[in-house]
Amino acid sequence: MKITCLQMDMRFKKPEENFARAAALIEAAAAEKSDVMVLPETWNTGFFPKEDLAALSDRDGERVKREIGALAKKHGVNIVAGSVSNVRGGRVYNTAMVFDQEGTCIAEYDKTHLFTPMGEDAFYTPGDSLCTFTLAGVKCGLIICYDIRFPELVRSLTVPGLDMLFVVSQWPKVRTAHLRTLTTARAIENQMFVVCCNSCGRAEDTVYGGSSAIIDPWGETAALAGEQEEIISADIDLSILTKIRSTIPVFRDRRPELYHI
């Protein structure tokens, strides 16, 4: 399976420019003939405009479904369409959407852990459900940025069985080492592939660090981006999942009766 991350430098508070840029990156990446493309977090608005947030947001994902869904169908590619600022039922959510090769939205996820140090919780409503889906026969899960710091969330996704975790983020450059460490740890401890698509560039006073990565279950990095806008791809060998899980049977050896959180 070939995976492509679209490490986008979005324009703060400029959804028109950002939709055009996301489409341009998808078109450019189409030559890669990937099975899955991935966008970063809140790519329509940047992270995140406190003034006029609702006005700048999508409406129940309608534009994402219309435009990104059409591109998925046009190129016959699955798209994990990052997340967008999204108004639904009078509230703003940080919503991720996934499209199959026919352009159908097969999964949606509202970010469950809002980043309180930047006040995200004062402007967005948290989600209350987890997200799993299947792409090309591969069992996948999806989380957004700050969610990666909560291993109990990821383990809740992986205990029933998961082969790949997508992490879409707007992670600041100052903590890039944390992003690399946490994504690698989640891959190793859960014996799965982790695909992290981060943003880059600047939004107000925050510089975002890029460093999008495709990581295998051994913790090895198959592809790694720099700090600028970039498209990275990797062909991943799903057959190694069986080998690592039989060699180190972590899930068989769990002792859930001892775990009290």
Side-chain angles (χ1 to χ4, degrees):
M1 175 179 271
K2 189 170 187 177
I3 310 292
T4 295
C5 291
L6 309 176
Q7 182 168 285
M8 180 176 166
D9 181 356
M10 61 214 66
R11 298 295 178 260
F12 191 63
K13 298 178 65 173
K14 296 183 178 179
E16 292 299 325
E17 293 184 24
N18 291 329
F19 269 92
R21 188 59 192 156
L25 287 170
I26 291 168
E27 294 285 359
E32 300 278 343
K33 301 296 181 183
S34 291
D35 297 291
V36 185
M37 295 184 192
V38 192
L39 284 163
E41 180 186 14
T42 53
W43 56 264
N44 64 332
T45 59
F47 191 84
F48 64 92
K50 296 178 176 64
E51 296 179 2
D52 303 322
L53 175 61
L56 294 165
S57 297
D58 202 354
R59 293 291 182 274
D60 199 18
E62 290 179 0
R63 186 171 184 182
V64 176
K65 291 173 183 176
R66 182 175 66 251
E67 297 186 17
I68 305 302
L71 288 167
K73 184 175 183 178
K74 174 183 176 181
H75 295 292
V77 62
N78 301 292
I79 300 179
V80 178
S83 76
V84 293
S85 300
N86 179 46
V87 173
R88 188 177 64 249
R91 297 181 176 181
V92 183
Y93 294 85
N94 187 337
T95 305
M97 284 166 265
V98 180
F99 299 88
D100 66 13
Q101 293 172 312
E102 296 300 317
T104 301
C105 183
I106 62 168
E108 295 187 45
Y109 169 67
D110 295 324
K111 186 177 182 180
T112 51
H113 297 93
L114 303 181
F115 193 54
T116 57
M118 289 182 70
E120 185 181 13
D121 58 313
F123 294 87
Y124 292 83
T125 298
D128 57 8
S129 61
L130 307 186
C131 181
T132 59
F133 51 94
T134 300
L135 287 180
V138 178
K139 294 176 289 185
C140 302
L142 173 62
I143 63 174
I144 300 175
C145 202
Y146 190 41
D147 286 335
I148 195 71
R149 289 187 180 271
F150 298 87
E152 58 270 43
L153 168 65
V154 178
R155 185 51 62 97
S156 296
L157 291 168
T158 58
V159 167
L162 205 69
D163 297 330
M164 188 175 301
L165 178 69
F166 292 97
V167 183
V168 301
S169 60
Q170 286 242 34
W171 201 279
K173 180 179 177 180
V174 69
R175 290 188 293 276
T176 295
H178 290 193
L179 181 64
R180 296 285 293 123
T181 300
L182 290 165
T183 49
T184 302
R186 298 295 90 85
I188 295 169
E189 70 195 8
N190 293 290
Q191 299 180 325
M192 64 183 176
F193 290 91
V194 171
V195 178
C196 176
C197 186
N198 195 32
S199 67
C200 58
R202 177 185 292 272
E204 294 189 309
D205 296 329
T206 304
V207 177
Y208 293 91
S211 301
S212 299
I214 301 168
I215 305 163
D216 76 15
W218 294 106
E220 299 295 328
T221 301
L224 178 65
E227 296 180 0
Q228 306 303 316
E229 187 171 86
E230 185 176 354
I231 297 172
I232 61 168
S233 297
D235 286 298
I236 61 171
D237 181 5
L238 292 162
S239 69
I240 71 171
L241 291 167
T242 300
K243 181 178 180 181
I244 187 172
R245 291 169 181 174
S246 61
T247 303
I248 309 173
V250 168
F251 286 91
R252 186 196 69 189
D253 294 341
R254 291 177 67 249
R255 298 285 306 281
E257 71 275 12
L258 300 179
Y259 311 148
H260 303 289
I261 301 176

